[in-house]
Amino acid sequence: MTRRPRILVIGAGFAGVECVRRLERKLGPDEADVALVTPFSYQLYLPLLPQVASGVLTPQSIAVSLRRSKKYRTRIIPGGAIGVDLAAKVCVIRTITDEIVNEPYDYLVLAPGSVTRTFDIPGLAEHAFGMKTLAEAAYIRDHVISQLDLADASDDPEERAARLQFVVVGGGYAGTETAACLQRLTHAAVRRYPRLDPSLIRWHLIDIAPKLMPELGDRLGKQALKILRDRGIDVSLGVSVAKVTEDEVTFTDGRVIPTHTLIWTAGVVASPLIGTLDAETVRGRLAVSPEMTVPGHDGVFALGDAAAVPDLAKGEKDAICPPTAQHAMRQGPKVADNIIHALRGEPLEPYVHKDLGLVVDLGGKDAVSRPLGIELHGILAQAVARGYHWSALRTGVAKARVMVNWLLNAFAGDDFVRTGFQARKPAQLKDFEYTDSYLTPDQVRTEVRTAEAEGKVRGKVTGG
């Protein structure tokens, strides 16, 4: 009996899930077997993470189950890919129980996404929080509320002041929305703490760039900056972090801020998985063709934040698609179509998509948006921002949960409850994003060769 081709998809972000869903809809049941590698059986709607951190949304509302599809037939492998041997056509996976599995493939879809970009700043890795995972958002909420609790319980004026200062690094969408949403959380919560002086609560947003969210354009960028400063957020541009300790942050302009909270959102880099491939990269992302194939490796596709997909819609040489949800959600179905074309001996198609605009939700009635080039701010921009996010949620259940959360928060507010998620030992970036779990290219080859010799590669693929 002829074996069905194996399609292995790495990553359950926007790109990976959209690819899998298109494959499930368009592939015949006997055309191929599909497997998805992910530590969690949900797709995270990443743009709404700041609203989880601020308590506007519950974590479950933006974790969209992968097992609700009516045409569900994809095998989910619960773990993370830690290396790929492109020559042997084998992916090395560390399961959630820490077992190493060698998974062969005929077609490989690399959509591992990105991780928080850090720099060699003393103390940063040990003391900063990120905003890339559901666990990080839930942890940050607990941490911020715990700072209010600890400040309220303290009789030391210096400790109290330090607990009530918060620093967010990164003037992009994630950092700006995080600072805006969490600032609203603390200023609403402080009303429940009669011993605390609200004027002691200080939020700092810093970025090395000269402008806040330059992608918005000058006018909207200045509007967002005005909204933040009118709320009392101290926005510093052209500034970064020089040093971090457990109880203070030193800026590059010499200022020292006593604080126990540094949230680092200063950009992203491609998943460390890309470094295990020993393949060409562009600005740290895997080099691919306009059809999102990896040159020189038959049957290997890459997309999303981890791939340097040419942006043909811009018409500029060397332009690549930015690492946004909008592009990832559209690249996924195109890769699925190209895999189906390859299976059926048809020509592949290039990816072309024109950016539809940008939305930034600053919490409450504040937002700035630029749909289809039209600049908006205020309530209308907020309606556009939330309408876009709501429509982009993949299931009706997720849409219902998010809408109910928005309405409940608008009318009933927040109870500012700590869940106990925060452990006594502070968690580090690597604890959430597993950046220390990946193998080197040599380690990948050694692992695969050893597994082959011991017969541990399941149904090893020998053909293309």
Side-chain angles (χ1 to χ4, degrees), residues 87-107:
K89 287 199 166 187
V90 173
C91 178
V92 181
I93 300 165
R94 189 190 304 277
T95 71
I96 57 175
T97 54
D98 255 357
E99 297 176 79
I100 300 297
V101 174
N102 289 269
E103 191 71 26
Y105 62 84
D106 292 293
Y107 293 92

Side-chain angles (χ1 to χ4, degrees), residues 26 58 135 144 151 164 209 226 233 254 263 341 350 353-354 359 376 382 413 417 461:
K26 298 187 71 172
T58 60
V144 168
L164 298 179
K226 182 178 185 303
I233 297 175
I263 302 173
H341 290 325
H353 171 68
K354 187 175 181 181
V359 295
L376 304 171
Q382 180 67 281
V417 172
V461 175

Side-chain angles (χ1 to χ4, degrees), residues 149 320 457:
D149 287 344
I320 60 176
V457 180

Side-chain angles (χ1 to χ4, degrees), residues 66-271:
L66 298 179
R67 301 188 185 276
R68 276 190 172 271
S69 171
K70 293 179 179 178
K71 294 187 177 181
Y72 169 75
R73 56 189 175 90
T74 297
R75 178 170 64 98
I76 293 179
I77 303 174
I82 58 173
V84 177
D85 188 329
L86 294 174
K89 287 199 166 187
V90 173
C91 178
V92 181
I93 300 165
R94 189 190 304 277
T95 71
I96 57 175
T97 54
D98 255 357
E99 297 176 79
I100 300 297
V101 174
N102 289 269
E103 191 71 26
Y105 62 84
D106 292 293
Y107 293 92
L108 178 66
V109 178
L110 291 163
S114 56
V115 297
T116 300
R117 178 181 62 182
T118 57
F119 300 95
D120 191 19
I121 297 171
L124 178 65
E126 293 78 18
H127 302 295
F129 306 116
M131 185 62 80
K132 279 288 291 177
T133 70
L134 197 59
E136 282 176 314
Y139 186 93
I140 285 172
R141 174 176 167 79
D142 262 21
H143 171 82
V144 168
I145 295 175
S146 75
Q147 297 311 297
L148 298 178
D149 287 344
L150 291 167
D152 184 63
S154 176
D155 293 321
D156 182 344
E158 290 187 2
E159 181 190 358
R160 180 175 289 190
R163 297 280 183 196
L164 298 179
Q165 291 213 73
F166 306 89
V167 178
V168 179
V169 181
Y173 303 111
T176 302
E177 290 187 338
T178 296
C181 290
L182 285 173
Q183 185 265 354
R184 283 181 58 85
L185 166 71
T186 54
H187 278 71
V190 77
R191 299 169 192 163
R192 314 283 181 89
Y193 295 84
R195 294 182 71 241
L196 294 182
D197 179 357
S199 67
L200 290 178
I201 297 179
R202 297 290 303 276
W203 279 88
H204 304 266
L205 175 62
I206 72 169
D207 195 282
I208 194 65
K211 295 181 181 179
L212 190 71
M213 293 184 293
E215 300 90 342
L216 282 172
D218 282 346
R219 193 165 73 170
L220 279 186
K222 289 177 181 177
Q223 183 67 37
L225 182 60
K226 182 178 185 303
I227 290 170
L228 297 180
R229 284 180 169 162
D230 285 349
R231 285 196 196 168
I233 297 175
D234 180 11
V235 182
S236 301
L237 301 174
V239 177
S240 189
V241 171
K243 183 176 67 172
V244 186
T245 67
E246 185 179 356
D247 54 11
E248 67 180 27
V249 175
T250 303
F251 293 168
T252 51
D253 62 4
R255 283 181 292 162
V256 178
I257 306 296
T259 180
H260 295 265
T261 308
L262 172 64
I263 302 173
W264 183 268
T265 67
V268 296
V269 293
S271 165

